[in-house]
Amino acid sequence: MINTQYIALSELKVNESGIIRDYRSKGPVPYRLRELGLVRGTRVLVKRFAPFEDPIELAVRGYSLSLRKEDAAHILVSRL
Amino acid sequence: MSTRQLKIALLGNPNSGKTSIFNALTGLRYTTANYPGVTVEKKTGYLAVEGAKEKIAVLDLPGTYSLVPRSLDEEIVHDILLGFRLDTETPDLLVIVMDATNLERNLYLAIQVLETGLPAIFVLNMWDLAKSNGITIDLKKLESWTGAACVATAASKNQGIRELKHLINKRLKDLSTTPHKPIPALQIPAVLEQEVSEVGKLLEPVLTNRKEAARGEALRLIGDIGMSSPFYRVETVSAKLRKQVVECRKRLDAAGIEWDVVENECRYRQIETICRDVVHFQTSEKFTVSERMDQILTHRVWGLLFFMAIMGVIFQSIFTWAEFPMKALESAIKNLGSFTGGILPAGQLNSLVVDGMIAGVGNVVVFLPQIFLLFFFIALLEDFGYMARAAFVLDRIMKKVGLNGKAFLPLLSSFACAVPGVMATRTIENRSDRLATILVAPLMSCSARLPVYALMIGAFIPAGRFYGVFSYKAVTLFSLYFLSLLTGLGMAALFRRTLLKGNQTPFIFELPPYRLPNIKSVLRTMWDRGKEFIYRAGTIIFFISVILWFLASYPKDPAVEKNYQAQRQQLSVTLTGDALKTELANLERTVSGDRLKISFAGRLGQAIEPVIEPLGFNWKIGIGLIASFAAREVLVSTLAIVYNIGQDADEKNVDLISALQAEKDPVTGKPAYSPLVAISLMVFFVLACQCMSTLAIVRRETNTWGWPLFMFTYMTILAWVGSFLVYQGGRLLGF
């Protein structure tokens, strides 16, 4: 269920964190992200943006992950 | 006990320090090869144990995040663990390497693997880093949760290696008496369990000796939305399997079960339960060293500046450090040539060995110092953890041309030499991205083009300055590099939009903590890659050298040879001492020029004159173009032979420069080469694929002749069109 209060992960600002609520799409990208630990209920922190604002560096489950904004846009989070 | 050799295999997530563990276990004594039919590296060695009677083979599997394969590397791991690859036996014991700072994600693969039923040991690597980050892991508890014996290591400091070796030996010995304690089954909804067992039954004929792996595999096949698993390609079961899975997905949809999410989420629930009991955090507010470095190295301003600085340093050192060994190699090859020439009887065999094999292979060998240095720097930056940062910083720029951040380094390396550049594309998982990067790598202006630029600029570009500041010569050289970069990126964008549209795989990667590079393993990696180039490309380069020699030596004109002998005779009668030597050398130069002109290569050069005339080139340059296929810098020595100056002339040779400047057009009587012709020729060299080493390595990396042929064709067309536009455009403008 997509709640209207949820925002795309790509909308979080630096040093903001959120809880993953859902994915907007199905397919190999969300699947791989979930395998890497980004399942519903997981807390993520936006550490920084690369020099041209893309990709994003996330802290999740104790490690750092880089993903492009276009992929982050498919992840819905609730801001913490 | 059987006398069969015992085999263990190392596996784990990328960046878990698996390679360091492998190096420590084998004492850096291992061999590398490729898995048959694919360019995935297969590293095998033997466990180094003092006083051990039987040898234990160690296999280093590629790094992978899950048993749902998304790349060739991951498919290899999947297939070996399920006893599905004929060329590699299933290992007796698995050593699963995990990053202790990051246990949750590492356990995802580890538990999937445990569920396949193979006996395994857990190695919690980077224990030191975890400790300093305030993480403690209870190994006893982890063992009782998972059934796998655990050992803590810090491979970079060589800690825990002895314990690990001991544990491996112990486990291998008691495998038959103490069987593997299975991990509790993953909790999944009952409806799904039913479907999983149905799909699992279909898998049994394929998983002949690994039946216990069927459950996990069936669960993943149901979740594999794109049906990309290798099992969907097994002819005997594929059709039935697809039908079964499609139908079961419908039933699961009806039951409200998200079949593509269920394994991920249930497994992380399982992992979280384990970790709550096993892992203890002592949260510290202080930034880790890695964190502080990242604030600079990935900063929007400093990050870019640092990247440029580090590349500047690398290039500077490649050109200055490589110069001395290159000069030394050059003279060593020359000496080897004259030494061999001296012991072999004069004649065709002598020429084949000296001018064909030694000189031909020598043209490539000269570049080895540069190639090795580049491999060294690449391995150093990889080990340090900087590569991922460079990809992070530059991804946005590369995305514009349809490539990703990981393409930057191979392209940059190609400015020194395309060979290490092409080999460095292996880090790019996406096949289309990788092919596009390989295809444009040789467009980057490599160092072998420099002698050609130097000759042409030295001979034809006037000494003046634009606005009294920028010298014409420097501006020309800069423009050539700029053209090469621009064309390379443009072609990459074109390929990604047409030929290699491909699937859009995401660009997701981990930014591992920085580590102090281990110099021994960096050197070893450099050596492995360099050796691979020599072995793999060597044979192809050897054969092309022999063919080119043949083309440049045959056919022979009996009249020319007879005349040559007669003149020699006459000189030795009329002259003595130094005068004779000089005259003989002069004669030799004239004759070698004549010989080349009547050879196949010479005739080919003359035959293509109509094709290259619109570019402003005459047949003499035509011969040079044919010969420089061996390696670009050969153009210089070939032109020297054509102009009867002798093949030892280099790009700074005054005689060669004045001969080029004095050349007249036979029809108009005007100088044959103008600055415009020189620019046209340099543009041709920027764009053309005049390099057999590159073609040989592309053949090796793509496993087909199709891609290197395509590369050669498109670049030759590009070069012709580019030169045509420059020359004809220049003439229209009145140059």
Side-chain angles (χ1 to χ4, degrees):
Chain A
M1 236 195 318
I2 293 177
N3 188 313
T4 43
Q5 287 173 352
Y6 298 158
I7 56 166
L9 174 56
S10 49
E11 287 168 50
L12 288 181
K13 294 186 180 61
V14 175
N15 279 329
E16 280 187 344
S17 37
I19 305 272
I20 295 180
R21 295 301 177 186
D22 214 337
Y23 282 84
R24 273 192 181 134
S25 60
K26 287 180 173 288
V29 184
Y31 196 91
R32 179 42 52 107
L33 287 170
R34 286 193 299 268
E35 285 181 320
L36 291 170
L38 283 78
V39 295
R40 281 179 289 208
T42 309
R43 187 186 154 160
V44 291
L45 165 76
V46 173
K47 274 169 95 173
R48 61 174 61 80
F49 292 93
F52 302 99
E53 299 297 317
D54 195 18
I56 306 172
E57 182 181 343
L58 296 179
V60 56
R61 295 188 190 270
Y63 74 98
S64 294
L65 190 73
S66 160
L67 75 163
R68 285 179 173 171
K69 270 190 171 172
E70 62 204 53
D71 295 322
H74 289 267
I75 306 174
L76 292 172
V77 298
S78 55
R79 193 182 262 129
L80 274 182
Chain B
M1 279 290 286
S2 67
T3 50
R4 198 180 68 88
Q5 189 182 49
L6 290 168
K7 288 188 183 66
I8 63 171
L10 260 63
L11 69 101
N13 285 179
N15 303 310
S16 58
K18 192 170 56 64
T19 306
S20 320
I21 296 277
F22 179 79
N23 288 344
L25 287 182
T26 57
L28 276 170
R29 276 182 298 275
Y30 58 82
T31 52
T32 52
N34 280 357
Y35 288 93
V38 287
T39 43
V40 175
E41 198 175 62
K42 182 180 189 176
K43 274 201 211 166
T44 41
Y46 290 98
L47 192 63
V49 190
E50 307 91 72
K53 263 176 276 156
E54 70 263 21
K55 278 176 141 189
I56 297 164
V58 188
L59 171 66
D60 188 18
L61 292 171
T64 175
Y65 287 112
S66 126
L67 282 186
V68 179
R70 296 262 175 250
S71 67
L72 263 179
D73 283 25
E74 295 184 341
E75 209 169 299
I76 296 268
V77 178
H78 171 267
D79 292 358
I80 289 175
L81 293 186
L82 296 174
F84 202 54
R85 253 198 104 80
L86 299 173
D87 54 67
T88 313
E89 270 183 76
T90 317
D92 300 291
L93 178 68
L94 297 174
V95 176
I96 304 177
V97 183
M98 292 187 271
D99 176 355
T101 67
N102 180 1
L103 190 61
E104 290 186 8
R105 197 205 63 216
N106 281 263
L107 272 174
Y108 189 86
L109 172 75
I111 294 181
Q112 280 186 333
V113 172
L114 283 186
E115 284 179 355
T116 69
L118 285 175
I121 289 175
F122 280 179
V123 176
L124 288 113
N125 194 29
M126 308 202 192
W127 192 256
D128 51 336
L129 199 61
K131 227 158 107 189
S132 68
N133 288 0
I135 300 168
T136 43
I137 300 169
D138 189 329
L139 295 182
K140 281 262 141 29
K141 279 186 180 168
L142 184 58
E143 190 169 335
S144 72
W145 275 100
T146 60
C150 302
V151 59
T153 60
S156 53
K157 294 179 181 161
N158 220 20
Q159 289 167 2
I161 300 300
R162 264 187 39 201
E163 291 80 355
L164 172 59
K165 283 183 185 172
H166 179 74
L167 185 61
I168 291 172
N169 273 305
K170 183 171 154 277
R171 224 26 216 116
L172 281 174
K173 275 201 197 88
D174 64 17
L175 271 180
S176 46
T177 49
T178 335
H180 185 65
K181 190 180 136 209
I183 183 164
L186 180 70
Q187 296 295 311
I188 53 173
V191 197
L192 182 59
E193 192 73 72
Q194 183 64 34
E195 298 291 355
V196 164
S197 88
E198 291 298 317
V199 174
K201 274 180 207 150
L202 287 180
L203 289 178
E204 276 176 19
V206 210
L207 294 171
T208 38
N209 46 6
R210 304 293 336 280
K211 289 201 167 52
E212 60 281 38
R215 181 181 184 252
E217 203 49 33
L219 179 61
R220 282 185 281 282
L221 287 174
I222 294 172
D224 179 9
I225 206 166
M227 294 197 169
S228 56
S229 165
F231 282 100
Y232 285 119
R233 277 175 264 140
V234 182
E235 264 179 55
T236 47
V237 291
S238 166
K240 261 195 275 176
L241 197 59
R242 277 170 194 273
K243 190 164 166 273
Q244 176 78 29
V245 167
V246 169
E247 280 167 10
C248 98
R249 283 177 182 174
K250 278 185 204 144
R251 288 192 289 271
L252 290 170
D253 279 336
I257 288 175
E258 293 172 279
W259 42 266
D260 58 328
V261 176
V262 79
E263 188 199 0
N264 312 144
E265 294 199 340
C266 291
R267 197 169 298 291
Y268 270 106
R269 293 293 95 82
Q270 176 192 25
I271 290 170
E272 281 160 11
T273 312
I274 296 174
C275 284
R276 259 196 299 276
D277 186 38
V278 169
V279 186
H280 296 281
F281 289 100
Q282 219 171 22
T283 38
S284 59
E285 284 303 304
K286 67 166 192 210
F287 277 125
T288 62
V289 181
S290 253
E291 210 111 344
R292 256 176 287 167
M293 286 176 64
D294 261 344
Q295 286 186 335
I296 299 167
L297 298 190
T298 58
H299 186 268
R300 55 197 60 202
V301 180
W302 306 126
L304 281 174
L305 287 177
F306 181 82
F307 177 79
M308 285 191 260
I310 204 155
M311 291 304 144
V313 169
I314 290 176
F315 268 66
Q316 183 62 24
S317 38
I318 284 171
F319 285 109
T320 52
W321 295 355
E323 200 182 307
F324 173 71
M326 283 173 84
K327 285 251 151 65
L329 271 175
E330 218 175 330
S331 66
I333 292 157
K334 215 176 258 174
N335 288 341
L336 179 69
S338 40
F339 173 75
T340 323
I343 43 173
L344 285 175
Q348 290 315 294
L349 179 70
N350 188 315
S351 172
L352 169 65
V353 173
V354 177
D355 305 327
M357 298 172 184
I358 296 179
V361 174
N363 285 329
V364 176
V365 169
V366 171
F367 286 97
L368 285 182
Q370 277 195 355
I371 293 175
F372 270 84
L373 266 174
L374 260 174
F375 282 141
F376 172 79
F377 283 115
I378 293 175
L380 189 74
L381 292 180
E382 265 171 10
D383 222 36
F384 180 52
Y386 182 69
M387 280 318 197
R389 271 71 185 187
F392 179 70
V393 168
L394 296 159
D395 181 54
R396 191 63 238 278
I397 302 174
M398 299 311 287
K399 202 173 106 180
K400 283 223 161 96
V401 295
L403 299 176
N404 69 43
K406 287 186 182 171
F408 206 90
L409 186 100
L411 292 185
L412 209 73
S413 308
S414 301
F415 273 103
C417 177
V419 168
V422 168
M423 284 172 74
T425 60
R426 284 184 188 179
T427 54
I428 305 171
E429 293 93 0
N430 180 342
R431 187 175 166 276
S432 301
D433 271 8
R434 177 162 184 237
L435 271 174
T437 313
I438 289 177
L439 284 178
V440 302
L443 279 172
M444 302 297 121
S445 190
C446 69
S447 61
R449 286 158 165 120
L450 267 174
V452 178
Y453 299 160
L455 175 69
M456 287 294 141
I457 290 178
F460 296 106
I461 304 300
R465 285 168 188 279
F466 284 110
Y467 310 110
V469 188
F470 306 107
S471 86
Y472 292 151
K473 289 176 196 260
V475 170
T476 310
L477 190 64
F478 177 80
S479 313
L480 292 171
Y481 275 88
F482 190 68
L483 172 73
S484 109
L485 182 66
L486 211 66
T487 319
L489 296 181
M491 287 311 290
L494 184 69
F495 287 139
R496 283 303 265 137
R497 280 176 183 78
T498 55
L499 194 62
L500 297 168
K501 245 187 255 169
N503 53 327
Q504 266 289 312
T505 23
F507 189 55
I508 303 167
F509 60 95
E510 192 187 349
L511 294 158
Y514 291 100
R515 279 180 309 180
L516 265 186
N518 178 326
I519 207 72
K520 261 209 238 151
S521 75
V522 167
L523 287 173
R524 180 63 210 248
T525 310
M526 169 194 87
W527 176 244
D528 285 347
R529 291 180 187 163
K531 209 172 65 182
E532 202 180 336
F533 164 63
I534 299 172
Y535 280 12
R536 287 168 193 279
T539 43
I540 301 178
I541 291 167
F542 181 81
F543 282 116
I544 298 180
S545 298
V546 171
I547 292 169
L548 283 172
W549 168 83
F550 177 79
L551 289 179
S553 317
Y554 290 91
K556 299 205 177 289
D557 184 345
V560 171
E561 300 301 319
K562 224 169 122 189
N563 191 7
Y564 167 63
Q565 292 302 342
Q567 285 192 31
R568 261 183 82 102
Q569 208 111 58
Q570 207 193 346
L571 284 172
S572 52
V573 174
T574 51
L575 294 167
T576 51
D578 284 348
L580 173 64
K581 256 192 194 155
T582 334
E583 282 307 310
L584 276 179
N586 277 339
L587 175 65
E588 188 66 42
R589 286 200 288 268
T590 321
V591 171
S592 59
D594 291 343
R595 280 180 185 150
L596 182 59
K597 281 164 219 161
I598 54 172
S599 70
F600 289 120
R603 291 178 197 190
L604 209 54
Q606 293 168 55
I608 61 169
E609 195 174 20
V611 182
I612 57 174
E613 213 190 338
L615 316 181
F617 309 155
N618 58 19
W619 61 270
K620 293 181 179 174
I621 291 187
I623 298 179
L625 291 183
I626 301 285
S628 64
F629 175 69
R632 293 173 173 97
E633 78 281 8
V634 172
L635 176 84
V636 177
S637 57
T638 308
L639 283 178
I641 298 173
V642 174
Y643 282 97
N644 300 345
I645 288 158
Q647 60 178 336
D648 296 342
D650 66 9
E651 66 274 10
K652 294 183 197 100
N653 187 292
V654 187
D655 292 338
L656 179 56
I657 290 179
S658 43
L660 288 173
Q661 287 166 338
E663 174 84 12
K664 296 274 189 290
D665 187 313
V667 183
T668 60
K670 284 186 194 156
Y673 308 128
S674 58
L676 185 62
V677 176
I679 293 173
S680 167
L681 182 65
M682 287 188 284
V683 166
F684 191 92
F685 268 80
V686 167
L687 302 174
C689 188
Q690 310 267 88
C691 181
M692 59 178 174
S693 312
T694 304
L695 293 171
I697 205 72
V698 172
R699 155 78 186 84
R700 281 294 164 189
E701 292 295 315
T702 58
N703 260 323
T704 122
W705 275 109
W707 287 114
L709 281 176
F710 172 76
M711 175 188 263
F712 181 73
T713 313
Y714 101 78
M715 285 180 71
T716 307
I717 294 171
L718 202 63
W720 193 90
V721 173
S723 288
F724 181 84
L725 291 178
V726 166
Y727 185 67
Q728 298 300 340
R731 292 222 317 184
L732 281 178
L733 293 173
F735 285 103

